[in-house]
Each structure stands twice: as C-alpha cells, then as structure tokens.
Amino acid sequence: MKNVIKVSAIALSALCLGFVSCSDDDEPNIQPQPTKNYQFQYTQPHTAIVNWDPKDYNFTDGNRYYLDYYKKAEEAIKGGCSSWRNGNFHGRNLDWTQANYGCLIIRMPKGGDAHHASVATLNGSKTVTWDFIKNGNLTDDQKRFLPCVVVDGINDAGVAININIVPNDPKNTYYSNEKNEGDLSSQCVVRYVLDNAGSVQEALDLLSTKKIRQSIVGIAGDETHYMISDPKETAVVEFWQKEMKVTRFTKQNDGFYSEKGNPAIMTNMYDFAIEEFGFGNEAMFDAYPYGMGVERWATIRDQYAGAKQSVEANLVIAKSVWYFDNFMAKKTAWYTENAISTVYGKDAEGWWFKPEGAESTEVVRAANHKEAIQGFYKAFMPNYWKYYEDNFSVKVMTDPHVDKNDYWETSHSVIYDVNKKVGYLYPFENRYVSPEYPCIELRIP
C-alpha cells in the first residue's frame, strides 16, 4: 500500500526534522471501517480512532452538560496553542500540561445533530487517559457529550476550526459561569461549527446568534478564541464586552492576510487588538495586558511567507513552536508565556510583576509592559528550569510523558488540508514514539 513517502535520511531531516511524513498526494494511511460496538482502532501509543454513531450523540445534551456542570467537567480542555492558515493548510499546535492524556480521533458521519460529516481530535482531557484509550470503553453519557469537546477538526465542506485560550483580562465582561449566562459553552464551539457550517461565513452567522459562555476555568479563568478556515478564507473569532470580534484573512499570493497585512496567525492574544494597535507593542498591551504567545506569533510570522505549500513545510512551522522542545529543553526566551494576571499585570499605579512567582507577596513596579514581563521572566524562570532539571531525569527530558508532573508540551500538531478535506496528525510532539511512526491521516467518514 502506498501510504508513506519514502525518502532518504538526509531529505527526511531537511523536510520533516526527523519525521517520516504523510503525503497529501498519497492514499490515506488509515481508513477505518464502521463498527457497531465502538471498537477503537489503535494507531500509535495512546492514540486511537473511534467511529461514532450519530444516533448516540446529542449536541444539546453535551452543551448543557458543560453549561450546567462545568466545575465538575473533567473533560474541560485547556491550553496555550498556536495556529495559522497558510495556502491550503490550516495548522495548529495544542499546548497543555504533560500527563497521561490520550489522543482520541472522532470520526462523525453525517446524521442526527451532525449536519456535516467530520473528523476531529480530543486531547488534553482528564477523561481521555492512557487507560481510557487502552480499554476503549464508553459510557452512555460519554457517547453523548465527549464529541462536544473536540479541540480541532475538519468537516466535509472543508471547514477547519481549532480552539485556543486567551488569558483572562478582568476588564472583559463576557458571558460567564459565575452569572450563569450564555447558551453555548465555549468548549463546544468547535463541534458546533463542524456539525453545522458549510463555510466560514456560515460559521460566523451561526455564532453571531449565540451567547458564548466563557467556561474554561483552568488558568486564571481563561477565555477562548477560534480560527476557522474554508478553501476561500480564514477568520479569527473572539469575544469582548459581549461583542463577537471577527478578524478576516483573504488569500494574497500563497498566503492569507488581514486588511492590515498581518498573516493568518492566532496564538494567545487578541487578533482584533493586533489589527487595532499593531503587533505586540506597548499600545496593544496597555489596552489588553494579558496576551501571551507574542514570541510564538513572531516565530510563525518569520517563516510564514517562505513556507512551501506542503504538509512538510507546515510541520516545520509547527515544530518551531513546539512547547517542550523549545521552551523547556532549549530554554527559548518566550517572555510572554506566563502572561497571566497572577504573575504580572497593570493596575491603577501602573505595571508590576512578582519576581518569585504567583504565590509570592513581593511586587516590583515596572515602567511598561516589556519591563514587567521580562522582569518576571528573568527573576523566576531560571529557578523554574533548575527545579525540573533537578527533579526529572535525562530520560524524562527526552521522554517526558510521566504522570503527576505539570510542565507543558505540545500535546499534538495537526495540519488540515481544506481543499482535500483531510488532516495530518502528529501526537505528543512525537517524543515517546520512535521516528518510524508515520503521521496519522485523518479522513472524514
């Protein structure tokens, strides 16, 4: 079966930084057959595909679960993340804490609440663990609500979407858990769009009728935003002061750019603020202090225009901002990665930071945003790195999937081809699987 590109070691290193790659021209690597009993098809360690029966899936019940029981919802997805649209490709990294998370690939046929067939991933969930993947058992409740919290995917119309966090800004007064507001959980937006939207415009029209409850509570009450692509355009959707903000990107040459000339990139700061004030400058942070991912945004931008239109080229972009590989092992100076109000911020007296971290009572004043965030980073991060180097072995640093630790990684990278309506998945920074494992091709049923 022709399903993996065969290349020399030198060519492989140049194209894929050490990976055996999927080819967007080859036959699908995985074509699961429908099953009656939800038998998982195992692909790589801790990763499985399941063919869902739309009769068991109820979006209304799943959304209500996350609206009503969010504090108990261990399936809640959280994370940093980077995403971009480049040519036909919608790419994303899911960044979250390392634990015994599994990666579940959900293939949803058209039917019932699913008006479009789709394939999507669920990763970073406390329910979808290694044991869950190994045992392959689904309760009746899980059959109804687990599909609702996928983190990215693509449907049969070529609509791709992913969720990223935006660190909470206390000035933002959107629909909240505390006030029991809203009618669509932010955790369910990806599924809602995959099921219902035949284009970016349809997705925007649908979301404009909803009150999105910002119900992700993992890090400083994080909020969310979304990148949505179809073959013709891309949009970033964000929520501020009970208003849906949309930044649109249209094709120019091989890339997708906004009206202000910014490439289609979304990390963990508001894209609408970048459009209004410029990228990562003091004016932007004076208005929206808690953005993070500035360095990752710039890293992607610097490669964006020169990237060839291929899965391999977009995987190179993905790896350049892999979380553990860059932030921890190489000690990349990603100053904004701790951009939450517990370690630095701005109040009536101006900018401040805590040199000893969030639990500290010591506050140091700074002249501006840059001085505040760099002050925290330079004071706190050396001890942070030393702690992990002292407490985790060399094996862990090269194979970091160990229970009960809390440093971050890229839980998966995925490149969606919106024209061919297929995805190419690399789970868990590919750190614990050997290089001979190919990527997993994600095919819509």
Side-chain angles (χ1 to χ4, degrees):
M1 174 180 285
K2 185 181 72 171
N3 53 15
V4 178
I5 296 177
K6 302 298 184 180
V7 294
S8 69
I10 294 176
L12 183 64
S13 177
L15 286 174
C16 300
L17 302 178
F19 289 117
V20 176
S21 66
C22 285
S23 168
D24 52 336
D25 295 321
D26 287 345
E27 293 298 318
N29 198 16
I30 295 170
Q31 293 182 300
Q33 298 301 311
T35 58
K36 296 181 179 179
N37 60 353
Y38 287 90
Q39 181 179 354
F40 287 11
Q41 176 171 353
Y42 300 100
T43 57
Q44 293 186 13
H46 313 309
T47 303
I49 294 175
V50 61
N51 296 284
W52 225 263
D53 186 341
K55 293 179 181 178
D56 289 334
Y57 155 60
N58 185 307
F59 180 81
T60 300
D61 284 355
N63 181 56
R64 179 51 53 189
Y65 176 85
Y66 290 103
L67 289 174
D68 290 348
Y69 302 106
Y70 71 96
K71 289 183 178 178
K72 300 178 182 178
E74 290 190 338
E75 294 75 26
I77 306 300
K78 322 170 190 73
C81 314
S82 306
S83 50
W84 62 95
R85 167 70 184 279
N86 195 7
N88 296 331
F89 300 98
H90 178 124
R92 78 93 103 252
N93 287 350
L94 173 69
D95 303 322
W96 188 229
T97 52
Q98 296 180 24
N100 63 336
Y101 298 135
C103 183
L104 187 66
I105 301 160
I106 296 177
R107 301 176 77 246
M108 181 70 73
K110 182 177 178 179
D113 287 350
H115 300 109
H116 290 274
S118 65
V119 61
T121 70
L122 174 52
N123 200 340
S125 164
K126 292 183 179 178
T127 290
V128 181
T129 62
W130 293 352
D131 286 342
F132 176 90
I133 294 291
K134 180 180 179 181
N135 295 331
N137 296 322
L138 288 163
T139 67
D140 289 340
D141 283 343
Q142 288 169 345
K143 291 176 184 179
R144 286 195 296 271
F145 65 70
L146 274 186
C148 293
V149 285
V150 290
V151 293
D152 52 63
I154 190 168
N155 71 14
D156 56 15
V159 174
I161 177 173
N162 68 276
I163 180 175
N164 289 7
I165 67 163
V166 184
N168 174 58
D169 188 328
K171 298 194 302 296
N172 195 8
T173 56
Y174 209 71
Y175 303 102
S176 69
N177 284 313
E178 288 72 17
K179 298 179 182 179
N180 198 33
E181 297 175 319
D183 55 17
L184 177 60
S185 169
S186 58
Q187 298 174 73
C188 300
V189 168
V190 171
R191 171 54 65 189
Y192 182 68
V193 168
L194 291 175
D195 283 353
N196 296 287
S199 66
V200 167
Q201 186 59 55
E202 282 191 21
L204 299 178
D205 291 344
L206 288 164
L207 292 175
S208 68
T209 68
K210 297 294 184 181
K211 298 176 181 179
I212 313 299
R213 181 186 290 183
Q214 294 290 354
S215 50
I216 291 183
V217 296
I219 308 175
D222 292 325
E223 297 161 3
T224 58
H225 57 174
Y226 307 85
M227 178 173 277
I228 311 173
S229 298
D230 66 22
K232 294 182 178 179
E233 67 172 323
T234 287
V236 169
V237 180
E238 298 165 323
F239 307 96
W240 183 264
Q241 306 291 26
K242 292 185 168 64
E243 179 183 354
M244 189 174 86
K245 301 277 192 177
V246 178
T247 305
R248 302 184 90 125
F249 302 86
T250 56
K251 190 172 184 179
Q252 301 176 32
N253 298 321
D254 288 332
F256 281 73
Y257 296 87
S258 70
E259 288 185 357
K260 298 292 182 68
N262 292 308
I265 301 170
M266 182 180 79
T267 56
N268 309 111
M269 53 188 167
Y270 288 112
D271 275 45
F272 77 83
I274 297 173
E275 290 293 291
E276 184 174 355
F277 295 102
F279 166 65
N281 55 31
E282 290 302 319
M284 189 193 89
F285 280 104
D286 280 340
Y288 307 99
Y290 302 116
M292 64 184 283
V294 171
E295 294 79 21
R296 284 183 280 119
W297 196 100
T299 299
I300 297 170
R301 175 202 59 193
D302 292 345
Q303 303 172 85
Y304 184 88
K308 296 178 181 179
Q309 297 308 309
S310 66
V311 176
E312 288 84 0
N314 282 273
L315 178 61
V316 169
I317 292 177
K319 186 171 182 181
S320 72
V321 285
W322 272 3
Y323 206 95
F324 183 85
D325 190 45
N326 289 285
F327 184 65
M328 285 297 296
K330 296 182 180 179
K331 302 184 181 180
T332 303
W334 289 359
Y335 289 110
T336 59
E337 294 306 277
N338 291 278
I340 57 177
S341 56
T342 55
V343 295
Y344 86 90
K346 187 181 181 185
D347 56 25
E349 298 179 39
W351 289 94
W352 56 267
F353 68 92
K354 293 183 177 182
E356 298 301 322
E359 303 302 319
S360 172
T361 58
E362 180 185 1
V363 174
V364 177
R365 290 290 166 180
N368 51 42
H369 162 263
K370 184 176 181 180
E371 184 177 304
I373 196 168
Q374 291 189 1
F376 164 76
Y377 189 94
K378 292 177 179 178
F380 180 78
M381 292 309 296
N383 290 331
Y384 180 84
W385 279 316
K386 189 175 188 302
Y387 169 80
Y388 286 109
E389 290 173 350
D390 288 349
N391 286 278
F392 296 97
S393 66
V394 173
K395 179 180 183 298
V396 173
M397 296 299 285
T398 57
D399 183 4
H401 293 73
V402 177
D403 292 343
K404 300 179 181 179
N405 64 70
D406 63 355
Y407 50 94
W408 282 35
E409 68 164 348
T410 296
S411 293
H412 72 247
S413 301
V414 61
I415 313 297
Y416 291 105
D417 186 325
V418 296
N419 278 1
K420 296 187 176 182
K421 304 171 189 176
V422 63
Y424 306 94
L425 176 69
Y426 295 83
F428 307 111
E429 289 194 10
N430 237 29
R431 299 185 75 88
Y432 69 78
V433 293
S434 55
E436 69 264 19
Y437 281 98
C439 71
I440 301 167
E441 292 192 17
L442 307 181
R443 292 282 169 170
I444 297 165

